[in-house]
Amino acid sequence: MAEHSAHNYHPLPVVIADGQGVWVTDVEGRRYLDFLAGYSALNFGHRHPVLTAAAHRQLDRVTLTSRAFGNDQLGPFCTELAALLGKQRVLPMNTGAEAVESGLKVARKWGYEVKGVPAGRARIVVAAEAFHGRTISVVSFSTDPEARGGFGPFTPGFDVVPYGDAAALRAAITPETVAVLLEPVQGEAGVIVPPPGYLAAVREICTASNVLYVSDEVQAGLGRTGHVLATRAAGVDADVYLLGKALGAGIMPVSAVVADSDVLGVLKPGQHGSTFGGNPLACAVGRAVVGLLAEGSLLEHTRAMGEILHEGLREIVGHGATAVRGVGLWAGVDVDPELGTGREVCERLAALGVLAKDTHGPTVRLSPPLVITEPDLHTALAALRHALQS
């Protein structure tokens, strides 16, 4: 693998050959608890029977028509996803990064055609330490030097403010601001949960300034926090939601921009699209995902398991961890630097049969599939305690 693939990742030395639920098996037959879940793409676990059945049924019918024609899955998918989120329109795309890029384009076009910003002057406020993908426009406003290094010149039109600082956000708004783009929880930054009242303040600022509030729920949404949307869990409604990862259940890359007609209605034929966006196979899988979320029991289970996870993590603060934080089945664990780096702790966890991923040096991210059982959760917590004591 290392000889012929680009070295844009530094994976742990584990080669997975099979997966079921929260467990994966490597090529040597060793089993691991998957505590990364594809960065939330596998919220429903590996090979969830409802989701794989939906994919199999569609594979036997038609997989791609392109948007030059309609297909019998696209309309129901958009209708059902819009209903789940309480919005009016859906723009289906493929990857999370495409959803973000599409959201940026829609926000700019709305700014020119609805708000009346002069052509070519639209600005979007974003947060420091955010992660919204790897495209040129996204890394243009990244504060991670690894994401930006060597990729300029960059796309203009973005203003970066500290995450969680409502006063700084308010000060950054100008008459040319068309949108504020934020993650409701910063995943790549180490599962950073905003201070109480911050998202409500963002909503108030956007409303008062006639600015779109765009919420990137690619990682945080669709169950990860125990709610369909992390923004709504804070009692706040954004104007635009960006979805991805779990929307395709780890089977297909499926993403979407979801908003009301007065926002997505700015797009006219020929102005934006994707060959694979809204393809019938992706829509069939997406419809099955929406059905699981709408039923509600998985969200309730996630909240219950999340309480157990965070109770166990609080016990390790001062015993190998300097801090823990998170929400639902999502957590960041800051490792005591005297015990090693986040990467080294992840290597120890792998040796103990648990797969997790480090970020920003000292932090270990934990995001198991939402279908995890309490015994498996306790097994992983015990492995983490052992890894921190090693």
Side-chain angles (χ1 to χ4, degrees):
M1 183 171 69
E3 183 178 357
H4 295 291
S5 64
H7 293 179
N8 57 323
Y9 281 90
H10 182 204
L12 293 171
V14 176
V15 181
I16 296 169
D18 186 58
Q20 181 66 55
V22 299
W23 291 90
V24 294
T25 305
D26 70 11
V27 291
E28 297 176 346
R30 183 172 183 185
R31 298 177 76 226
Y32 302 83
L33 275 169
D34 181 356
F35 255 63
L36 182 61
Y39 304 97
S40 287
L42 289 157
N43 277 2
F44 309 98
H46 297 268
R47 291 194 292 145
H48 189 291
V50 171
L51 302 175
T52 55
H56 280 297
R57 285 194 301 271
Q58 193 60 40
L59 278 168
D60 288 335
R61 298 179 65 243
V62 63
T63 59
L64 177 66
T65 60
S66 91
R67 292 297 303 278
F69 317 103
N71 70 74
D72 65 355
Q73 295 298 312
L74 176 61
F77 169 65
C78 291
T79 299
E80 292 159 16
L81 180 57
L84 181 70
L85 269 59
K87 295 292 187 184
Q88 295 171 332
R89 291 198 187 183
V90 171
L91 170 65
M93 299 300 289
N94 303 290
T95 66
E98 279 185 279
V100 174
E101 282 281 345
S102 300
L104 296 175
K105 290 176 69 176
V106 167
R108 285 181 170 180
K109 202 165 194 298
W110 175 90
Y112 298 133
E113 297 187 1
V114 178
K115 185 174 180 177
V117 173
R121 301 287 294 275
R123 304 198 65 80
I124 296 174
V125 179
V126 295
E129 309 303 325
F131 181 83
H132 299 286
R134 302 284 189 183
T135 64
I136 286 291
S137 289
V138 170
V139 301
S140 294
F141 56 82
S142 173
T143 56
D144 181 356
E146 285 295 311
R148 288 172 58 89
F151 297 118
F154 297 116
T155 306
F158 300 100
D159 299 305
V160 183
V161 299
Y163 186 68
D165 187 338
L169 173 60
R170 192 185 304 272
I173 301 290
T174 75
E176 296 175 347
T177 303
V178 299
V180 172
L181 169 64
L182 295 173
E183 298 162 277
V185 178
Q186 288 192 323
E188 185 74 16
V191 194
I192 307 299
V193 180
Y198 174 65
L199 297 185
V202 173
R203 174 69 277 174
E204 183 274 325
I205 293 166
C206 289
T207 300
S209 306
N210 192 23
V211 165
L212 294 178
Y213 177 8
V214 182
S215 185
D216 180 345
E217 300 245 7
V218 171
Q219 280 198 64
L222 306 182
R224 177 52 55 190
T225 66
H227 301 271
V228 172
L229 296 169
T231 308
R232 294 266 179 82
V236 175
D237 186 25
D239 299 298
V240 181
Y241 290 104
L242 310 178
L243 303 175
K245 295 192 184 296
L247 193 57
I251 298 171
M252 290 287 294
V254 185
S255 66
V257 181
V258 185
D260 282 337
S261 298
D262 59 346
V263 177
L264 275 176
V266 301
L267 291 180
K268 301 298 187 293
Q271 295 177 346
H272 188 63
S274 165
T275 299
F276 283 86
N279 72 76
L281 180 57
C283 289
V285 172
R287 291 183 67 191
V289 166
V290 170
L292 287 177
L293 291 169
E295 188 273 332
S297 62
L298 184 60
L299 299 175
E300 183 179 350
H301 175 78
T302 300
R303 294 192 292 271
M305 292 301 100
E307 290 179 6
I308 295 170
L309 172 65
H310 293 288
E311 180 181 359
L313 292 178
R314 285 191 291 270
E315 295 174 356
I316 67 174
V317 176
H319 302 280
T322 59
V324 298
R325 67 199 154 266
V327 59
L329 278 172
W330 204 11
V333 179
D334 293 340
V335 176
D336 185 335
E338 293 186 2
L339 298 178
T341 64
R343 166 80 183 198
E344 289 167 339
V345 170
C346 287
E347 290 171 346
R348 295 174 205 159
L349 277 172
L352 295 167
V354 177
L355 299 180
K357 182 69 173 67
D358 61 292
T359 185
H360 287 249
T363 302
V364 174
R365 287 174 294 184
L366 304 174
S367 56
L370 309 183
V371 295
I372 193 167
T373 63
E374 185 172 348
D376 286 343
L377 192 51
H378 285 301
T379 295
L381 286 167
L384 179 59
R385 286 193 294 269
H386 187 77
L388 292 170
Q389 294 166 3
S390 300

